[in-house]
Structure formats: structure tokens, C-alpha cells
Amino acid sequence: MFVLPRGQRVSEVAAIAGFHSHVPVESNPSHHLETVWFVKVLCTLCIRTSPSLQIFKSQYFEKNLNPFLAFEVIKHVNFSFSNPELAFGFFQFTRTNLRVVHSFDTYYMLLRSFPEMGFHDLAKDVLDCMRLDGYLLDNALFEFLVMSFANAGKFEVARELFIAQELLFVRSGSDRVGKISAYVYNNFLSLLVKKNQVNEAIGFFRDHVLRSKCCFPDTCTFNIVLRGMCKVGEPDKAFVMLNDMDNHGCLPDVVSFNTLINGFCRIGNVARAYELLRKIQSEGRFPPDVVSYTSVISGYCRLGEMYNASSIFDEMINRGVKPNLVTFNAVIDGFAKTGDMSSALNIYEKMLHLGCPPDVVTFTSLMDGHCRIGQVDHGLNLWNEIYTRKLLPNVYTFSVIINALCKQNRLDEAHNFLKQLNSRGDIAPQPFLYNPVIDGFCKCGNVDKANVILREMEEKKCKPDKLTFTILILGHCMKGRMFEAINMFNKMLAVGCSPDKITIKSLVSCLQKAGMPKEAHKIRLAVAGYLDSCLSSSSRSIPDLNISAAIK
């Protein structure tokens, strides 16, 4: 990196530059060393005089600073000095004040480097200058910029790039501007859908991709839009689009149908999904695959219609389609939730027989099924089986076993599982894991133990929720520890957790029965003040505004 000698001023360097460079630097190849030296001087002047750069506003620099030298200076400032803002400043200053017509290489370098460095706004400014100077984006740079802006969430800029490229194609023809690759707009549409910009994706697809003369959508393009429509719960509209695909030279494939099947199942319309499954089979262009069957099976399982789910499960095996882990887990979970553990275990055995290894989801569903019918010890055996198979319980596995133990009043065992959970650094503790244990200890009158669990909960950075506070407030009231109940209520308000009507009425009622009318009145006032502060602040909201009725 070039730096000024100690004690040498910027004005002196400028004078030396003028002395050594009476003619354009690149006019003679033998002056290569002088060129390198001059570029270093210019870089140093940039650093020392930024952000004004007024030292360059002279006839000398206007005469001798050419696009080649400007490129070298911008490159060194951008990369060697790691100063993209200054590189852009020099680029803009020389373009505006010295009338330097920057080369395509300069534009290409800035447009490639700025997005990679995270300076998308600067890249947009450079792009605007490039258009004004009459340069065209080649396909590689166009594709790079579209995806860079889209990945940064600047979808409007990416969309403008598409529109500009379309206009260039229409005006200049394919000789100067090539057709837009399906890879680009497919990825752009996919990003929009992924970022929940589904309406924007649909609008862009209809207004630009379908109508553009330089875009030729394929089946993959349609599938992305179909996925977006189904994602927002509109499989009926997706079905209309699927039927319109052949008008645009595309035919739906198994992915198209699977997308709609899954979309209908997501909104509970499994009968329609089943019709589409039969439509695939009747048309005979391609057979339904494991995803087709699994989507319908999962849909029926979620509805608890296990007869239909089992029939399709048997059908897929008879047709030579091997169920995968997702299929088995869906059926096992469906039977477990209906309490049919005999059928759930039969599917589990079939799973092992077909060589499909179970995962933690499999065991969690089996544990849940056993616990639902009171067979908690069977669930505990499966807990041990998880570790035997070198798997790790997830947050839902813990929830299933903790809830089941609490229902059987085996609170110390449930607390031990909480301690295991607390030792796991890969699981973020949630209130729904602690609440059943806290509730169990409060109901049996052991509020001290409940308070211990609350402290453990807070030590793990797990914030108590409305249910946690309500359980503890009522638990302390039932033990006659009214001041602790009041303190817990005040803490609830202090952390911004809104009490509901049940909490307020129960606490006020208990205080009145305990002969503490003044404290009951203070609770009403505290809630009224909390309501006023929340309603007057735009940054906080009350989920249940009906709590005002509880303080009257």
C-alpha cells in the first residue's frame, strides 16, 4: 500500500505529479513504472483529500486522467484500501467534474464488487450511470445483478432490471441483447415465494414472464408460481393455472400435481387432493410418486381418517412405490393420535422390515400415543430406545413426556426431565415445557418448588408467559400467600405480559376474601394504568382488550 513520506504534504505530491507527467501517462509503453507510480500518487491523494476530492478539479487532471488511469485508481481504492465508498466517490467525481467516460471494465468491476461487499445502493447508482453512458449489460452481469439484488431483498430493483432488459431486447433485437435465461427468472420467482412475496411473484410472472418476448417460461417456472399460490392457501387458483399451462407450451409434470395435492391437503380439502391423485393415475403420462401418496396420506392422518390413510398406504406399496420416512411417520402419528397403538406399532414394525430407520419424530409419535392412553412407562421405555439408537430427543419429545408425567402427578420425574433439558445447549427452552410442572407443584400446594422451577426457567433465559404467571399467582393465592401473589402480578405487568380476565378476577376475588380490599383496589388501579400506558404506546399492544371489563 502506498503512503506519503513522513512530512510530505498533499500539495507537494500534486506538484511532483505535475512535474513528472507533462504528457498522458500511457502514451508510451516505456513509461509503465511512471504509470504505476502516478496511480499510487492518485490513490494517496484520494485518501488524504476525501471526501471532497477537490484537488482533482484542475485542468491538469482533466487533461491527463484517462479511463485507464481512473480504472486503476478505483480498483486500488476499492480493493487495496478496502474503501468502496471512496472508490465510488472518485468514480462519480471524475465522471461529473472531469468528464471522464469510464470504461466498461470499470463499470463491470464496480457492479461485481459492490454487491459482494454489501453496497447494493452504490451498485444501483453505478448501474444508473452505466445506462446514461450507453453501456449494455451482458447476460452474465445481468444475471449476477438480478440475483444479488434479489438476495438482498431489493426485489424492486431486480424487477426494474428485468423491465429494462426487456425494453433493450425489443428496441435493439437479439443481436445486441440476448434472451433472458429461464435460470434467472426462475430463481427470482423462487426467492420471491421463499420471502413470502407471493403476490409480487404472481404479478411479475403474469405481467412480464408470460408477456415478454425475451422470456420463455418452462414447467419449472409454472411450478414455482403454483407453489406460491398453494403456500398462501389458494390451490383453486393454482389449479386454474395448471390447466392453462399447455396454452403456453408447457405440460404439467408430477411436481406440478404434487404441489397442488399438497396445497389442497394444507387447507384440509383432502378429497380434492385425492381426486388429483386419481387424475394422475387415469391420465397415465407419469405415475404418482412417493410424494403424491405421502401428501394425501398425511392429509387424511391430520383429519383422523385413518381408514382412508391406511388404504392409500397399502395401495402405494402394492403399486411398487416404497414409503419413505415421512410416509411412515405420518401414519404412525395418525394412529397414535387416535389412540390405536396396535396399528401404530404394526406400521413401526413394517417400517423396520422395509429397511427404513426410524428417527426422533417416529419415537416422539409413539411416545405420545402411549402417553395419551395412560401408558407412560411404555413411553419412558421408548425414551431410552432413542438413546440406544444414538438419537437425541427434540423439544417436542421433552414436551410429550413431561406433560404425561405431570398428568400422573409424577412431578419429581418431570422435574428431572426439565433438568436434562436445561443441560442441552441445542434446545431453546420454551414456557410450554415448564408450565405443566409449575402447575403440578402449585396444585399440590408446593409453591416453593414451583418458584424454584421459575428461577431455573429464568436462568435459562426463558421468559415466563401469561400462563406461567397466572399459574403462579393463583397458586400463591390458594396457599394464602397474598403478598407474593401481588408481587408476581406486578412482575407480570413490569415485563409487559398482559393479564387476562381470569387472572385479574381471580386475584381480586382472592384478595377480597382474604380481607384485603385496599390491595384489591390497587390491583384494579394498576391494571387500569397498565391499559392506559399500552393503549397510548404504538410499540405495545394488548392481545385481549376485554380485560378492562375485569377491573370494573
Side-chain angles (χ1 to χ4, degrees), residues 76 122 127 135 148 166 233 275 325 340 360 376 425 429 496 552:
H76 279 79
L122 292 184
L127 184 61
Y135 289 110
S148 294
E166 287 176 42
E275 290 175 6
L325 179 63
D340 187 354
V360 67
V376 180
K552 292 180 180 178

Side-chain angles (χ1 to χ4, degrees), residues 29-41:
S30 65
H31 291 170
H32 173 70
L33 292 178
E34 288 85 349
T35 301
V36 173
W37 181 86
F38 188 52
V39 168
K40 289 182 177 180
V41 169

